[in-house]
Structures are given as structure tokens and as C-alpha cells.
Short mmCIF file of all heavy atoms in Angstrom, two decimals:
data_model
loop_
_atom_site.label_atom_id
_atom_site.label_comp_id
_atom_site.label_asym_id
_atom_site.label_seq_id
_atom_site.Cartn_x
_atom_site.Cartn_y
_atom_site.Cartn_z
N ILE A 1 34.52 172.90 107.67
CA ILE A 1 33.80 171.87 106.91
C ILE A 1 33.44 170.70 107.80
O ILE A 1 32.33 170.15 107.73
CB ILE A 1 34.67 171.42 105.73
CG1 ILE A 1 34.85 172.57 104.72
CG2 ILE A 1 34.04 170.22 105.03
CD1 ILE A 1 35.83 172.26 103.61
N ALA A 2 34.37 170.32 108.70
CA ALA A 2 34.09 169.19 109.60
C ALA A 2 32.95 169.52 110.55
O ALA A 2 32.07 168.67 110.80
CB ALA A 2 35.35 168.84 110.40
N VAL A 3 32.93 170.73 111.11
CA VAL A 3 31.85 171.12 112.00
C VAL A 3 30.52 171.15 111.27
O VAL A 3 29.48 170.69 111.78
CB VAL A 3 32.16 172.49 112.65
CG1 VAL A 3 30.95 173.00 113.44
CG2 VAL A 3 33.36 172.39 113.56
N LEU A 4 30.51 171.68 110.06
CA LEU A 4 29.28 171.73 109.28
C LEU A 4 28.77 170.32 108.97
O LEU A 4 27.57 170.04 109.03
CB LEU A 4 29.51 172.51 107.98
CG LEU A 4 28.29 172.67 107.07
CD1 LEU A 4 27.16 173.36 107.80
CD2 LEU A 4 28.66 173.42 105.80
N THR A 5 29.70 169.42 108.65
CA THR A 5 29.30 168.03 108.40
C THR A 5 28.70 167.40 109.65
O THR A 5 27.70 166.67 109.58
CB THR A 5 30.52 167.22 107.94
OG1 THR A 5 31.07 167.81 106.77
CG2 THR A 5 30.13 165.78 107.63
N LEU A 6 29.32 167.67 110.80
CA LEU A 6 28.79 167.13 112.06
C LEU A 6 27.40 167.70 112.35
O LEU A 6 26.50 166.98 112.80
CB LEU A 6 29.74 167.45 113.20
CG LEU A 6 29.36 166.93 114.59
CD1 LEU A 6 29.19 165.41 114.56
CD2 LEU A 6 30.39 167.33 115.62
N CYS A 7 27.20 169.01 112.10
CA CYS A 7 25.89 169.62 112.30
C CYS A 7 24.83 168.96 111.42
O CYS A 7 23.72 168.66 111.86
CB CYS A 7 25.95 171.12 111.99
SG CYS A 7 26.90 172.09 113.18
N ALA A 8 25.19 168.72 110.16
CA ALA A 8 24.24 168.08 109.25
C ALA A 8 23.92 166.66 109.71
O ALA A 8 22.77 166.21 109.64
CB ALA A 8 24.80 168.07 107.84
N ALA A 9 24.94 165.94 110.21
CA ALA A 9 24.71 164.58 110.69
C ALA A 9 23.78 164.57 111.89
O ALA A 9 22.88 163.72 112.00
CB ALA A 9 26.04 163.92 111.04
N VAL A 10 23.99 165.51 112.83
CA VAL A 10 23.11 165.61 114.00
C VAL A 10 21.68 165.92 113.57
O VAL A 10 20.71 165.34 114.08
CB VAL A 10 23.63 166.69 114.97
CG1 VAL A 10 22.62 166.95 116.07
CG2 VAL A 10 24.95 166.24 115.57
N ALA A 11 21.54 166.84 112.61
CA ALA A 11 20.20 167.21 112.15
C ALA A 11 19.49 166.03 111.50
O ALA A 11 18.31 165.78 111.75
CB ALA A 11 20.30 168.38 111.17
N LEU A 12 20.22 165.29 110.67
CA LEU A 12 19.61 164.14 110.01
C LEU A 12 19.24 163.06 111.01
O LEU A 12 18.23 162.37 110.87
CB LEU A 12 20.56 163.58 108.96
CG LEU A 12 20.75 164.43 107.70
CD1 LEU A 12 21.81 163.81 106.80
CD2 LEU A 12 19.43 164.59 106.95
N ALA A 13 20.07 162.88 112.04
CA ALA A 13 19.79 161.85 113.05
C ALA A 13 18.59 162.20 113.89
O ALA A 13 17.85 161.33 114.36
CB ALA A 13 21.01 161.65 113.95
N ALA A 14 18.34 163.49 114.13
CA ALA A 14 17.26 163.91 115.04
C ALA A 14 16.02 164.36 114.31
O ALA A 14 14.96 164.46 114.91
CB ALA A 14 17.74 165.05 115.92
N ALA A 15 16.12 164.63 113.02
CA ALA A 15 14.96 165.12 112.29
C ALA A 15 13.88 164.06 112.21
O ALA A 15 14.17 162.86 112.14
CB ALA A 15 15.37 165.54 110.88
N PRO A 16 12.61 164.44 112.21
CA PRO A 16 11.50 163.50 112.25
C PRO A 16 11.51 162.45 111.16
O PRO A 16 11.22 161.29 111.43
CB PRO A 16 10.27 164.41 112.15
CG PRO A 16 10.74 165.72 112.64
CD PRO A 16 12.18 165.82 112.26
N PRO A 17 11.85 162.76 109.88
CA PRO A 17 11.80 161.71 108.88
C PRO A 17 12.72 160.55 109.17
O PRO A 17 12.48 159.44 108.73
CB PRO A 17 12.23 162.45 107.59
CG PRO A 17 11.91 163.87 107.84
CD PRO A 17 12.16 164.07 109.30
N MET A 18 13.80 160.81 109.95
CA MET A 18 14.74 159.74 110.23
C MET A 18 14.30 158.86 111.39
O MET A 18 14.85 157.79 111.59
CB MET A 18 16.11 160.34 110.55
CG MET A 18 16.69 161.16 109.42
SD MET A 18 16.90 160.19 107.91
CE MET A 18 18.17 159.05 108.43
N VAL A 19 13.34 159.32 112.19
CA VAL A 19 12.89 158.53 113.34
C VAL A 19 11.41 158.21 113.24
O VAL A 19 10.80 157.79 114.20
CB VAL A 19 13.17 159.28 114.66
CG1 VAL A 19 14.65 159.42 114.87
CG2 VAL A 19 12.51 160.63 114.67
N ALA A 20 10.83 158.40 112.06
CA ALA A 20 9.40 158.18 111.91
C ALA A 20 9.12 156.71 111.75
O ALA A 20 8.81 156.22 110.68
CB ALA A 20 8.86 158.95 110.70
N ALA A 21 9.28 155.97 112.84
CA ALA A 21 9.08 154.53 112.80
C ALA A 21 7.86 154.11 113.59
O ALA A 21 7.62 152.94 113.79
CB ALA A 21 10.31 153.83 113.36
N ALA A 22 7.09 155.06 114.06
CA ALA A 22 5.93 154.75 114.90
C ALA A 22 4.63 154.78 114.11
O ALA A 22 3.57 154.74 114.69
CB ALA A 22 5.85 155.73 116.04
N GLY A 23 4.73 154.83 112.77
CA GLY A 23 3.51 154.87 111.97
C GLY A 23 3.30 156.25 111.40
O GLY A 23 3.99 157.20 111.74
N PRO A 24 2.33 156.37 110.47
CA PRO A 24 2.08 157.66 109.83
C PRO A 24 1.74 158.74 110.85
O PRO A 24 0.92 158.53 111.74
CB PRO A 24 0.89 157.35 108.90
CG PRO A 24 0.92 155.87 108.70
CD PRO A 24 1.47 155.31 109.97
N GLY A 25 2.39 159.90 110.69
CA GLY A 25 2.09 161.03 111.56
C GLY A 25 2.74 160.95 112.91
O GLY A 25 2.46 161.78 113.77
N HIS A 26 3.59 159.97 113.15
CA HIS A 26 4.24 159.82 114.46
C HIS A 26 5.72 159.54 114.27
O HIS A 26 6.16 159.15 113.19
CB HIS A 26 3.60 158.70 115.27
CG HIS A 26 2.21 159.01 115.72
ND1 HIS A 26 1.12 158.91 114.88
CD2 HIS A 26 1.73 159.45 116.91
CE1 HIS A 26 0.03 159.26 115.54
NE2 HIS A 26 0.37 159.58 116.77
N ARG A 27 6.48 159.73 115.33
CA ARG A 27 7.88 159.43 115.32
C ARG A 27 8.25 158.81 116.67
O ARG A 27 7.50 158.90 117.64
CB ARG A 27 8.72 160.70 115.10
CG ARG A 27 8.49 161.78 116.13
CD ARG A 27 9.11 163.09 115.68
NE ARG A 27 8.75 164.17 116.59
CZ ARG A 27 9.53 164.61 117.57
NH1 ARG A 27 10.69 164.07 117.76
NH2 ARG A 27 9.13 165.59 118.35
N VAL A 28 9.38 158.15 116.71
CA VAL A 28 9.84 157.53 117.94
C VAL A 28 10.65 158.54 118.72
O VAL A 28 11.61 159.13 118.21
CB VAL A 28 10.71 156.29 117.63
CG1 VAL A 28 11.25 155.69 118.91
CG2 VAL A 28 9.89 155.26 116.86
N VAL A 29 10.28 158.77 119.97
CA VAL A 29 10.97 159.71 120.84
C VAL A 29 11.22 159.04 122.19
O VAL A 29 10.67 157.98 122.48
CB VAL A 29 10.16 161.01 121.03
CG1 VAL A 29 10.08 161.79 119.72
CG2 VAL A 29 8.76 160.72 121.55
N LEU A 30 12.06 159.67 123.01
CA LEU A 30 12.37 159.11 124.33
C LEU A 30 11.14 158.96 125.18
O LEU A 30 11.04 158.05 126.01
CB LEU A 30 13.39 160.00 125.04
CG LEU A 30 14.81 160.01 124.48
CD1 LEU A 30 15.67 160.97 125.28
CD2 LEU A 30 15.40 158.62 124.48
N ARG A 31 10.16 159.85 125.00
CA ARG A 31 8.93 159.80 125.80
C ARG A 31 8.23 158.46 125.66
O ARG A 31 7.53 158.00 126.56
CB ARG A 31 8.01 160.94 125.35
CG ARG A 31 6.70 161.04 126.08
CD ARG A 31 6.00 162.30 125.67
NE ARG A 31 6.82 163.46 126.02
CZ ARG A 31 6.86 163.98 127.23
NH1 ARG A 31 6.11 163.49 128.19
NH2 ARG A 31 7.63 165.02 127.50
N ASP A 32 8.38 157.80 124.50
CA ASP A 32 7.73 156.52 124.27
C ASP A 32 8.47 155.38 124.95
O ASP A 32 7.96 154.27 125.02
CB ASP A 32 7.64 156.23 122.77
CG ASP A 32 6.81 157.27 122.04
OD1 ASP A 32 5.86 157.78 122.65
OD2 ASP A 32 7.12 157.57 120.88
N ARG A 33 9.68 155.62 125.43
CA ARG A 33 10.49 154.56 125.99
C ARG A 33 10.50 154.54 127.51
O ARG A 33 10.92 153.58 128.12
CB ARG A 33 11.94 154.70 125.50
CG ARG A 33 12.07 154.68 123.99
CD ARG A 33 11.61 153.37 123.41
NE ARG A 33 11.80 153.32 121.97
CZ ARG A 33 11.35 152.36 121.20
NH1 ARG A 33 10.67 151.36 121.73
NH2 ARG A 33 11.55 152.38 119.91
N ILE A 34 10.10 155.63 128.13
CA ILE A 34 10.18 155.74 129.59
C ILE A 34 8.78 155.97 130.15
O ILE A 34 8.08 156.88 129.71
CB ILE A 34 11.11 156.88 130.01
CG1 ILE A 34 12.51 156.63 129.45
CG2 ILE A 34 11.15 157.03 131.52
CD1 ILE A 34 13.50 157.70 129.78
N ASP A 35 8.36 155.16 131.08
CA ASP A 35 7.07 155.31 131.76
C ASP A 35 7.29 155.33 133.26
O ASP A 35 8.28 154.78 133.76
CB ASP A 35 6.14 154.14 131.41
CG ASP A 35 5.68 154.20 129.97
OD1 ASP A 35 5.25 155.28 129.54
OD2 ASP A 35 5.77 153.17 129.28
#
């Protein structure tokens, strides 16, 4: 149960709806932070 909970937490943290702060149709990724 603990591993499954951790998997779900990782998925929610990395899934696009959770990082979609760059405007409609976009998400924030590491590529936007490093030039």
C-alpha cells in the first residue's frame, strides 16, 4: 500500500495537469529553466 501510494504521488507530481502553469496547452518543464 505504501509503494502504491508513493507511485500515485509521483504520478500526480509529474503529470501535466499538476505542472500546467505556462498557459493553456503548455506545462512547466526543466527545458524552460535551462538555456
